[in-house]
Amino acid sequence: MELHEPATPYEPSAPHRPENPSAPHGPENPSTPREPETLSAPQLAAIRRSLTSGRGALTRRSLLRAGGGGALALGGAGALAACGIPPAGKSGQDAKAEDHSDEEKLLNFSNWTQYIDVGDDKKSRPTLDAFHRRTGIKVRYTEDINDNVEFFGKIQAQLAAGQDTGRDLICVTDWLAARLIRLGWVRPLDAANLPHAYANLAPQFRSPDWDPGRAHSYPWTGISAVIAYNEKATGGRKVDSVAQLLEDPKLKGRVGMLSEMRDTVGLTLLDMGKRPEDFTDDDYGAAIARIQKAVDRRQIRRFTGNDYIDDLNKGDMAACVAWAGDLIQLQADNPAVKFAIPDTGYLTSTDNLLVPGKARHQRNAERLIDYYYEPKVAARLAAWINYVCPVDGVREELAKIDDTLASNPLILPDKEMAAKSHAFRSLSAQEEKAYEEKFAHLIGA
């Protein structure tokens, strides 16, 4: 696979002088064994669902359209399946990459579409411009990530060969971040260059099982899966548990569950008193069996990606599992749409910033990560993208921009809500294949 040239990048103008404080070093994470990986038919089906209407196509950030974007995404998935994922060689990523940050005030950053603040002129990137003025580092910002798998297809050959991908910073979802770290294809971060990130990362995001102590990654945003309902369709009744979704006869035929395995099964596990962070094969099987009973009773209308939005808005779907970023936008137009956090907890995944192996400008990339962990900057970003902000201490700054957003727990969870957040544990290649096969059978994919 060849590296596709990214779209014309955004480049700010006008430099200034840098500042670079130091901080204690965070925990180190030693290299782990590399492993070849391939994708099964159920995994590829899950990827296609995600690309067209699932996490890979969340309304705020991804502009995949039926046609060009979708075809490109599926092509990326097919190419990935055909070539597999080769093991990385020890000589590639383990050798320390040469850093040219001192002599090259440059940084190449690949991100999702519509995933950063935009100026009134619809062209400028205010936070990137401010970073350039402060540090003199020019950020070549490219929105060339439409979905995780397609993007991985662009860069995996270079990463496997220990070559520079032409990118210094990338933003990918947690499951792909975990895979890149496991394969040894990203650089460990230097905490001395991350004082704000090290201090201000919200506790709920501090130590995922796939990157203990955040040795290789920092979250750009959090993506929460919660319960949504249309109170006109429920007759004013609140829906706040998975048990209601799966078993309440008054909701029969008007319930939606997500076609994303981790969110639907994770929430069900929580409702069963199990933790998505450390469940067993038997626990997973029991969760699948419980959802299957709801399917057999025709309790569930259908399994959806973010195409639940229209049905929920119109009331054709009374209640469903939904993503918080969608709900913030939907509620602005329809006050009948409400959300609830189950007492048993909810699922949160993350999109994460990582430095690919052999990146030329690691220190510059780390300084940009750290910059977005300054509360004032983080507030500007959160005000525009409306996903969960992973930065502590932004409420006051966000209130100066929009008090409504600052008080929205879907953007800034309070301590009680944050305590209910859970992450779906990392899966081995074998587990992922087996689990996706069972889930595909459940949803009829």
Side-chain angles (χ1 to χ4, degrees), residues 7-37:
T8 303
Y10 170 76
E11 295 187 16
S13 56
H16 192 54
R17 273 320 294 158
E19 38 69 55
N20 188 14
S22 59
H25 287 270
E28 295 183 358
N29 190 20
S31 298
T32 53
R34 278 66 167 175
E35 59 185 83
E37 300 179 30

mmCIF file of all heavy atoms in Angstrom, residues 7-37:
data_model
loop_
_atom_site.group_PDB
_atom_site.id
_atom_site.type_symbol
_atom_site.label_atom_id
_atom_site.label_comp_id
_atom_site.label_asym_id
_atom_site.label_seq_id
_atom_site.Cartn_x
_atom_site.Cartn_y
_atom_site.Cartn_z
ATOM 1 N N ALA A 7 -4.896 15.817 1.576
ATOM 2 C CA ALA A 7 -5.475 16.990 0.945
ATOM 3 C C ALA A 7 -4.657 18.218 1.295
ATOM 4 O O ALA A 7 -3.850 18.208 2.219
ATOM 5 C CB ALA A 7 -6.913 17.163 1.431
ATOM 6 N N THR A 8 -4.859 19.304 0.540
ATOM 7 C CA THR A 8 -4.096 20.525 0.775
ATOM 8 C C THR A 8 -4.206 20.928 2.232
ATOM 9 O O THR A 8 -5.303 21.152 2.748
ATOM 10 C CB THR A 8 -4.634 21.667 -0.106
ATOM 11 O OG1 THR A 8 -4.577 21.250 -1.461
ATOM 12 C CG2 THR A 8 -3.813 22.922 0.088
ATOM 13 N N PRO A 9 -3.084 20.992 2.948
ATOM 14 C CA PRO A 9 -3.144 21.258 4.375
ATOM 15 C C PRO A 9 -3.380 22.728 4.685
ATOM 16 O O PRO A 9 -3.094 23.599 3.875
ATOM 17 C CB PRO A 9 -1.763 20.820 4.870
ATOM 18 C CG PRO A 9 -0.871 21.027 3.693
ATOM 19 C CD PRO A 9 -1.721 20.748 2.479
ATOM 20 N N TYR A 10 -3.882 22.970 5.893
ATOM 21 C CA TYR A 10 -4.029 24.331 6.381
ATOM 22 C C TYR A 10 -2.712 24.755 7.003
ATOM 23 O O TYR A 10 -2.123 24.033 7.797
ATOM 24 C CB TYR A 10 -5.138 24.400 7.433
ATOM 25 C CG TYR A 10 -5.181 25.726 8.154
ATOM 26 C CD1 TYR A 10 -5.711 26.843 7.521
ATOM 27 C CD2 TYR A 10 -4.664 25.866 9.440
ATOM 28 C CE1 TYR A 10 -5.746 28.071 8.164
ATOM 29 C CE2 TYR A 10 -4.694 27.082 10.084
ATOM 30 C CZ TYR A 10 -5.240 28.176 9.449
ATOM 31 O OH TYR A 10 -5.257 29.387 10.089
ATOM 32 N N GLU A 11 -2.235 25.932 6.650
ATOM 33 C CA GLU A 11 -1.008 26.467 7.235
ATOM 34 C C GLU A 11 -1.273 27.875 7.733
ATOM 35 O O GLU A 11 -1.746 28.734 6.994
ATOM 36 C CB GLU A 11 0.121 26.502 6.199
ATOM 37 C CG GLU A 11 0.555 25.132 5.727
ATOM 38 C CD GLU A 11 1.769 25.193 4.831
ATOM 39 O OE1 GLU A 11 2.445 26.236 4.831
ATOM 40 O OE2 GLU A 11 2.026 24.218 4.123
ATOM 41 N N PRO A 12 -0.980 28.144 9.013
ATOM 42 C CA PRO A 12 -1.162 29.487 9.552
ATOM 43 C C PRO A 12 -0.042 30.416 9.105
ATOM 44 O O PRO A 12 0.896 30.008 8.444
ATOM 45 C CB PRO A 12 -1.114 29.259 11.064
ATOM 46 C CG PRO A 12 -0.247 28.062 11.219
ATOM 47 C CD PRO A 12 -0.491 27.207 9.995
ATOM 48 N N SER A 13 -0.150 31.659 9.495
ATOM 49 C CA SER A 13 0.892 32.623 9.162
ATOM 50 C C SER A 13 1.306 33.398 10.402
ATOM 51 O O SER A 13 0.593 33.441 11.392
ATOM 52 C CB SER A 13 0.376 33.598 8.099
ATOM 53 O OG SER A 13 -0.804 34.214 8.546
ATOM 54 N N ALA A 14 2.502 34.002 10.329
ATOM 55 C CA ALA A 14 3.050 34.891 11.362
ATOM 56 C C ALA A 14 3.542 34.200 12.625
ATOM 57 O O ALA A 14 2.764 33.685 13.410
ATOM 58 C CB ALA A 14 2.037 35.932 11.746
ATOM 59 N N PRO A 15 4.873 34.180 12.854
ATOM 60 C CA PRO A 15 5.463 33.513 14.013
ATOM 61 C C PRO A 15 5.681 34.413 15.229
ATOM 62 O O PRO A 15 5.533 35.610 15.156
ATOM 63 C CB PRO A 15 6.808 33.039 13.470
ATOM 64 C CG PRO A 15 7.149 34.015 12.402
ATOM 65 C CD PRO A 15 5.859 34.596 11.900
ATOM 66 N N HIS A 16 6.077 33.797 16.347
ATOM 67 C CA HIS A 16 6.495 34.545 17.537
ATOM 68 C C HIS A 16 7.540 33.729 18.278
ATOM 69 O O HIS A 16 8.150 32.843 17.717
ATOM 70 C CB HIS A 16 5.274 34.845 18.419
ATOM 71 C CG HIS A 16 5.575 35.839 19.504
ATOM 72 N ND1 HIS A 16 6.116 37.071 19.242
ATOM 73 C CD2 HIS A 16 5.426 35.768 20.836
ATOM 74 C CE1 HIS A 16 6.277 37.725 20.375
ATOM 75 N NE2 HIS A 16 5.871 36.947 21.355
ATOM 76 N N ARG A 17 7.803 34.044 19.554
ATOM 77 C CA ARG A 17 8.830 33.338 20.321
ATOM 78 C C ARG A 17 8.237 32.218 21.149
ATOM 79 O O ARG A 17 7.150 32.352 21.707
ATOM 80 C CB ARG A 17 9.541 34.299 21.262
ATOM 81 C CG ARG A 17 10.726 35.056 20.714
ATOM 82 C CD ARG A 17 11.650 34.324 19.825
ATOM 83 N NE ARG A 17 12.379 33.266 20.435
ATOM 84 C CZ ARG A 17 12.897 32.282 19.743
ATOM 85 N NH1 ARG A 17 12.702 32.186 18.448
ATOM 86 N NH2 ARG A 17 13.584 31.365 20.338
ATOM 87 N N PRO A 18 8.950 31.082 21.293
ATOM 88 C CA PRO A 18 8.448 29.946 22.053
ATOM 89 C C PRO A 18 8.600 30.062 23.564
ATOM 90 O O PRO A 18 9.327 30.889 24.048
ATOM 91 C CB PRO A 18 9.281 28.786 21.517
ATOM 92 C CG PRO A 18 10.434 29.372 20.785
ATOM 93 C CD PRO A 18 10.133 30.813 20.545
ATOM 94 N N GLU A 19 7.887 29.201 24.276
ATOM 95 C CA GLU A 19 8.119 28.974 25.696
ATOM 96 C C GLU A 19 8.031 27.470 25.918
ATOM 97 O O GLU A 19 7.286 26.785 25.265
ATOM 98 C CB GLU A 19 7.094 29.719 26.564
ATOM 99 C CG GLU A 19 5.673 29.741 26.007
ATOM 100 C CD GLU A 19 4.998 28.395 26.021
ATOM 101 O OE1 GLU A 19 4.922 27.790 27.093
ATOM 102 O OE2 GLU A 19 4.553 27.948 24.968
ATOM 103 N N ASN A 20 8.820 26.959 26.866
ATOM 104 C CA ASN A 20 8.898 25.506 27.006
ATOM 105 C C ASN A 20 9.204 25.102 28.443
ATOM 106 O O ASN A 20 10.348 24.880 28.811
ATOM 107 C CB ASN A 20 9.980 24.972 26.059
ATOM 108 C CG ASN A 20 9.964 23.454 26.029
ATOM 109 O OD1 ASN A 20 9.020 22.842 26.499
ATOM 110 N ND2 ASN A 20 11.001 22.860 25.476
ATOM 111 N N PRO A 21 8.182 25.043 29.335
ATOM 112 C CA PRO A 21 8.419 24.638 30.717
ATOM 113 C C PRO A 21 8.700 23.142 30.801
ATOM 114 O O PRO A 21 8.491 22.411 29.867
ATOM 115 C CB PRO A 21 7.092 24.986 31.407
ATOM 116 C CG PRO A 21 6.078 24.932 30.322
ATOM 117 C CD PRO A 21 6.792 25.352 29.067
ATOM 118 N N SER A 22 9.172 22.716 31.949
ATOM 119 C CA SER A 22 9.452 21.289 32.156
ATOM 120 C C SER A 22 8.501 20.746 33.211
ATOM 121 O O SER A 22 7.846 21.483 33.922
ATOM 122 C CB SER A 22 10.903 21.077 32.594
ATOM 123 O OG SER A 22 11.142 21.774 33.794
ATOM 124 N N ALA A 23 8.468 19.410 33.311
ATOM 125 C CA ALA A 23 7.562 18.759 34.264
ATOM 126 C C ALA A 23 8.115 17.406 34.628
ATOM 127 O O ALA A 23 8.996 16.879 33.945
ATOM 128 C CB ALA A 23 6.191 18.606 33.643
ATOM 129 N N PRO A 24 7.644 16.818 35.725
ATOM 130 C CA PRO A 24 8.101 15.473 36.081
ATOM 131 C C PRO A 24 7.746 14.478 34.997
ATOM 132 O O PRO A 24 6.744 14.640 34.312
ATOM 133 C CB PRO A 24 7.298 15.171 37.366
ATOM 134 C CG PRO A 24 6.733 16.461 37.822
ATOM 135 C CD PRO A 24 6.635 17.344 36.628
ATOM 136 N N HIS A 25 8.574 13.486 34.847
ATOM 137 C CA HIS A 25 8.314 12.451 33.840
ATOM 138 C C HIS A 25 7.228 11.516 34.328
ATOM 139 O O HIS A 25 7.183 11.136 35.480
ATOM 140 C CB HIS A 25 9.599 11.652 33.561
ATOM 141 C CG HIS A 25 10.591 12.426 32.769
ATOM 142 N ND1 HIS A 25 10.623 12.402 31.408
ATOM 143 C CD2 HIS A 25 11.552 13.289 33.153
ATOM 144 C CE1 HIS A 25 11.605 13.187 30.975
ATOM 145 N NE2 HIS A 25 12.171 13.739 32.010
ATOM 146 N N GLY A 26 6.349 11.144 33.394
ATOM 147 C CA GLY A 26 5.298 10.179 33.698
ATOM 148 C C GLY A 26 5.841 8.767 33.627
ATOM 149 O O GLY A 26 7.015 8.549 33.318
ATOM 150 N N PRO A 27 4.998 7.780 33.889
ATOM 151 C CA PRO A 27 5.435 6.386 33.885
ATOM 152 C C PRO A 27 5.832 5.921 32.506
ATOM 153 O O PRO A 27 5.285 6.364 31.505
ATOM 154 C CB PRO A 27 4.187 5.638 34.373
ATOM 155 C CG PRO A 27 3.053 6.544 34.068
ATOM 156 C CD PRO A 27 3.586 7.933 34.187
ATOM 157 N N GLU A 28 6.819 5.081 32.457
ATOM 158 C CA GLU A 28 7.262 4.532 31.178
ATOM 159 C C GLU A 28 6.479 3.267 30.874
ATOM 160 O O GLU A 28 5.993 2.573 31.759
ATOM 161 C CB GLU A 28 8.761 4.221 31.232
ATOM 162 C CG GLU A 28 9.609 5.486 31.392
ATOM 163 C CD GLU A 28 11.091 5.158 31.365
ATOM 164 O OE1 GLU A 28 11.418 3.966 31.259
ATOM 165 O OE2 GLU A 28 11.896 6.082 31.462
ATOM 166 N N ASN A 29 6.371 2.981 29.591
ATOM 167 C CA ASN A 29 5.649 1.787 29.164
ATOM 168 C C ASN A 29 6.541 1.002 28.221
ATOM 169 O O ASN A 29 6.728 1.379 27.080
ATOM 170 C CB ASN A 29 4.352 2.205 28.458
ATOM 171 C CG ASN A 29 3.446 1.005 28.219
ATOM 172 O OD1 ASN A 29 3.597 -0.012 28.864
ATOM 173 N ND2 ASN A 29 2.513 1.148 27.296
ATOM 174 N N PRO A 30 7.172 -0.078 28.659
ATOM 175 C CA PRO A 30 8.117 -0.800 27.818
ATOM 176 C C PRO A 30 7.462 -1.387 26.593
ATOM 177 O O PRO A 30 6.259 -1.611 26.550
ATOM 178 C CB PRO A 30 8.641 -1.902 28.749
ATOM 179 C CG PRO A 30 7.602 -2.057 29.791
ATOM 180 C CD PRO A 30 6.985 -0.710 29.970
ATOM 181 N N SER A 31 8.294 -1.650 25.575
ATOM 182 C CA SER A 31 7.793 -2.224 24.328
ATOM 183 C C SER A 31 7.174 -3.594 24.577
ATOM 184 O O SER A 31 7.603 -4.341 25.445
ATOM 185 C CB SER A 31 8.930 -2.357 23.312
ATOM 186 O OG SER A 31 9.453 -1.097 23.008
ATOM 187 N N THR A 32 6.137 -3.900 23.838
ATOM 188 C CA THR A 32 5.479 -5.199 23.950
ATOM 189 C C THR A 32 5.688 -5.980 22.665
ATOM 190 O O THR A 32 6.015 -5.409 21.635
ATOM 191 C CB THR A 32 3.974 -4.999 24.191
ATOM 192 O OG1 THR A 32 3.471 -4.142 23.171
ATOM 193 C CG2 THR A 32 3.724 -4.360 25.539
ATOM 194 N N PRO A 33 5.515 -7.298 22.727
ATOM 195 C CA PRO A 33 5.775 -8.101 21.532
ATOM 196 C C PRO A 33 4.883 -7.697 20.367
ATOM 197 O O PRO A 33 3.725 -7.364 20.537
ATOM 198 C CB PRO A 33 5.439 -9.530 22.004
ATOM 199 C CG PRO A 33 5.502 -9.488 23.479
ATOM 200 C CD PRO A 33 5.123 -8.105 23.877
ATOM 201 N N ARG A 34 5.440 -7.737 19.181
ATOM 202 C CA ARG A 34 4.683 -7.439 17.972
ATOM 203 C C ARG A 34 3.932 -8.691 17.541
ATOM 204 O O ARG A 34 4.331 -9.793 17.840
ATOM 205 C CB ARG A 34 5.606 -7.011 16.829
ATOM 206 C CG ARG A 34 6.026 -5.552 16.857
ATOM 207 C CD ARG A 34 6.873 -5.249 18.029
ATOM 208 N NE ARG A 34 7.514 -3.951 17.872
ATOM 209 C CZ ARG A 34 8.234 -3.403 18.803
ATOM 210 N NH1 ARG A 34 8.413 -3.997 19.947
ATOM 211 N NH2 ARG A 34 8.800 -2.234 18.594
ATOM 212 N N GLU A 35 2.841 -8.504 16.825
ATOM 213 C CA GLU A 35 2.081 -9.656 16.373
ATOM 214 C C GLU A 35 1.439 -9.354 15.025
ATOM 215 O O GLU A 35 0.969 -8.249 14.790
ATOM 216 C CB GLU A 35 0.984 -10.003 17.381
ATOM 217 C CG GLU A 35 0.017 -8.850 17.607
ATOM 218 C CD GLU A 35 -0.987 -9.149 18.699
ATOM 219 O OE1 GLU A 35 -0.646 -8.957 19.857
ATOM 220 O OE2 GLU A 35 -2.114 -9.557 18.361
ATOM 221 N N PRO A 36 1.418 -10.320 14.110
ATOM 222 C CA PRO A 36 0.673 -10.112 12.878
ATOM 223 C C PRO A 36 -0.818 -10.179 13.171
ATOM 224 O O PRO A 36 -1.248 -10.909 14.039
ATOM 225 C CB PRO A 36 1.120 -11.280 11.995
ATOM 226 C CG PRO A 36 1.586 -12.312 12.959
ATOM 227 C CD PRO A 36 2.094 -11.600 14.178
ATOM 228 N N GLU A 37 -1.604 -9.393 12.465
ATOM 229 C CA GLU A 37 -3.039 -9.395 12.677
ATOM 230 C C GLU A 37 -3.757 -9.413 11.329
ATOM 231 O O GLU A 37 -3.301 -8.820 10.364
ATOM 232 C CB GLU A 37 -3.486 -8.160 13.455
ATOM 233 C CG GLU A 37 -2.847 -8.051 14.836
ATOM 234 C CD GLU A 37 -3.304 -6.800 15.567
ATOM 235 O OE1 GLU A 37 -4.442 -6.353 15.318
ATOM 236 O OE2 GLU A 37 -2.533 -6.268 16.360
#
